[in-house]
Amino acid sequence: MFRFPPGLSPQAVKRRHGARNASLWQLIQRRNMPSLTVLICTHNRRALLEKVLASIDAARHPSGWQIGIRVIANACNDDTMDYLAARSGARPLTFEHEMRPGKSHALNRALSTLDGDVVAFVDDDHRVDAGYLEAVCQAFQSEPDIDLLCGRILPDWDGSEPAWVHEQGRYRVYPLPVPRFDLGDEPRTLGRGTAIPGGGNLAARTGWLERIGLFSVELGPQGHDLGGAEDIDWILRGLTQGARLAYIPQMIQYHYVDGARLQTSYVVRKAFHRSSSSARVDRIKPAVYMIRKCIICMGSVALSLDSARRRHYLVRFAAALGELHGALKNR
């Protein structure tokens, strides 16, 4: 049997032993490499999907890793499937169509088909930084005790957004119309007592997928509605089972800024739905303080003459109502 001399390049093997053995040598090398699958669930956003795939193709390839992309189209009735079938790109891509509406259904379909070493979750309205793939692979390679990774999500501002979205003072609005997750420039471990990321910029060793289990189909968005928390629920279940979560600041994604979201009415609706989902994840039960909080916030809205103050308390009032709504569902 032919044995490949250690340290030889494919070119050297080809010169000494022929092209066939050189190709076999390359195949063996690839099979010994760790692999990263970038997972994207998408619903009727072909144009944004094209942008995120282009950013993954353009990202630097981490040395010694195989990189692939898996797309789950969720109840799409636009040209997403045609685009995926015709796509050619720098990274190998596979795709499926999950007809049941709901992001959790799409995620759960993907979990049963992933067979690599690491999966990185990327939303279809994000784009990845040029160093994103390197950051994910390097972190997992250098920290064998880490099971889950999260990174920065930064709004892809272009300067045309209203000034109130950048307000950091007393009357700042939260949640922002465009998601942001940024814990600074230093890596750190996270747990139940710290900020818990969403799934828009999350990576996991695939061995943990089965251990944590499926994403809750009672939570999460259906279509482009404002449901959420299926990802936070999944991460918390992992932490309960002993998974170790690390924040990696070099792991950067940029969130698309939809101008239609830069309205007070949108943030009010988002605050309601996200607070309701969070209350369900935390298993909060109805309490008198929730009603008191709603009354106080409603009074603050009525007494607010300044637009920034009124916007702030409108969002707080919506969040308080959402918390009460989720707690009542928990009954």
Side-chain angles (χ1 to χ4, degrees), residues 203-225:
R205 298 190 191 273
T206 52
W208 275 89
L209 302 181
E210 186 174 353
R211 292 176 64 178
I212 298 174
L214 301 177
F215 287 82
S216 170
V217 296
E218 296 180 358
L219 300 170
Q222 295 196 19
H224 297 148
D225 68 17

Side-chain angles (χ1 to χ4, degrees), residues 286-300:
V288 173
Y289 84 87
M290 296 179 178
I291 299 174
R292 185 165 59 243
K293 187 193 298 187
C294 291
I295 293 172
I296 291 172
C297 290
M298 184 171 58
S300 297

Side-chain angles (χ1 to χ4, degrees), residues 220-243:
Q222 295 196 19
H224 297 148
D225 68 17
L226 295 174
E230 82 293 340
D231 41 12
I232 294 176
D233 172 68
W234 193 83
I235 293 169
L236 289 173
R237 283 190 277 130
L239 295 176
T240 299
Q241 295 181 51

Side-chain angles (χ1 to χ4, degrees), residues 150-155 179-184 190 195-198 201 247:
C150 66
R152 287 171 161 162
I153 298 176
L154 304 176
R180 180 185 181 94
F181 188 83
D182 185 0
L183 301 182
L190 303 178
I196 300 297
N201 190 359
Y247 165 75

Side-chain angles (χ1 to χ4, degrees), residues 42-200:
T42 185
H43 171 71
N44 286 354
R45 280 177 168 161
R46 201 274 302 163
L48 287 178
L49 177 64
E50 188 173 357
K51 289 182 179 180
V52 66
L53 290 174
S55 73
I56 296 168
D57 282 339
R60 294 188 295 272
H61 191 106
S63 177
W65 282 74
Q66 297 182 72
I67 306 296
I69 304 171
R70 184 147 186 77
V71 177
I72 308 295
N74 183 218
C76 290
N77 53 27
D78 63 353
D79 61 345
T80 293
M81 295 300 290
D82 292 336
Y83 162 72
L84 290 171
R87 176 192 179 272
S88 61
R91 318 281 183 201
L93 181 146
T94 59
F95 61 93
E96 286 188 74
H97 199 179
E98 171 54 63
M99 296 302 297
R100 291 171 296 176
K103 185 179 180 182
S104 291
H105 286 301
L107 287 167
N108 291 339
R109 181 174 187 129
L111 295 191
S112 64
T113 62
L114 294 171
D115 57 3
D117 299 292
V118 171
V119 58
F121 299 84
V122 178
D123 281 356
D124 63 353
D125 53 356
H126 288 197
R127 65 178 179 88
V128 304
D129 183 74
Y132 174 80
L133 299 175
E134 289 178 332
V136 174
C137 295
Q138 182 179 357
F140 276 126
Q141 198 159 1
S142 61
E143 300 289 345
D145 292 334
I146 293 300
D147 308 302
L148 307 175
L149 299 177
C150 66
R152 287 171 161 162
I153 298 176
L154 304 176
D156 217 351
W157 302 124
D158 62 7
S160 63
E161 64 276 1
W164 60 264
V165 302
H166 300 295
E167 174 62 47
Q168 294 297 314
R170 181 177 179 183
Y171 298 126
R172 67 186 286 266
V173 168
Y174 184 83
L176 284 171
V178 181
R180 180 185 181 94
F181 188 83
D182 185 0
L183 301 182
D185 297 332
E186 296 298 324
R188 52 187 288 200
T189 56
L190 303 178
R192 282 187 168 271
T194 64
I196 300 297

Side-chain angles (χ1 to χ4, degrees), residues 232-310:
I232 294 176
D233 172 68
W234 193 83
I235 293 169
L236 289 173
R237 283 190 277 130
L239 295 176
T240 299
Q241 295 181 51
R244 287 146 296 187
L245 169 65
Y247 165 75
I248 306 299
Q250 295 81 15
M251 200 175 141
I252 303 172
Q253 294 184 28
Y254 301 93
H255 197 294
Y256 168 68
V257 175
D258 183 352
R261 296 186 177 189
L262 305 181
Q263 307 287 335
T264 299
S265 58
Y266 174 85
V267 184
V268 167
R269 295 196 309 274
K270 182 176 180 179
F272 175 86
H273 288 287
R274 292 304 166 90
S275 292
S276 177
S277 297
S278 295
R280 297 192 67 190
V281 168
D282 294 335
R283 307 294 190 266
I284 294 174
K285 297 295 177 62
V288 173
Y289 84 87
M290 296 179 178
I291 299 174
R292 185 165 59 243
K293 187 193 298 187
C294 291
I295 293 172
I296 291 172
C297 290
M298 184 171 58
S300 297
V301 171
L303 296 174
S304 296
L305 300 178
D306 177 76
S307 60
R309 175 186 166 95
R310 186 184 309 111

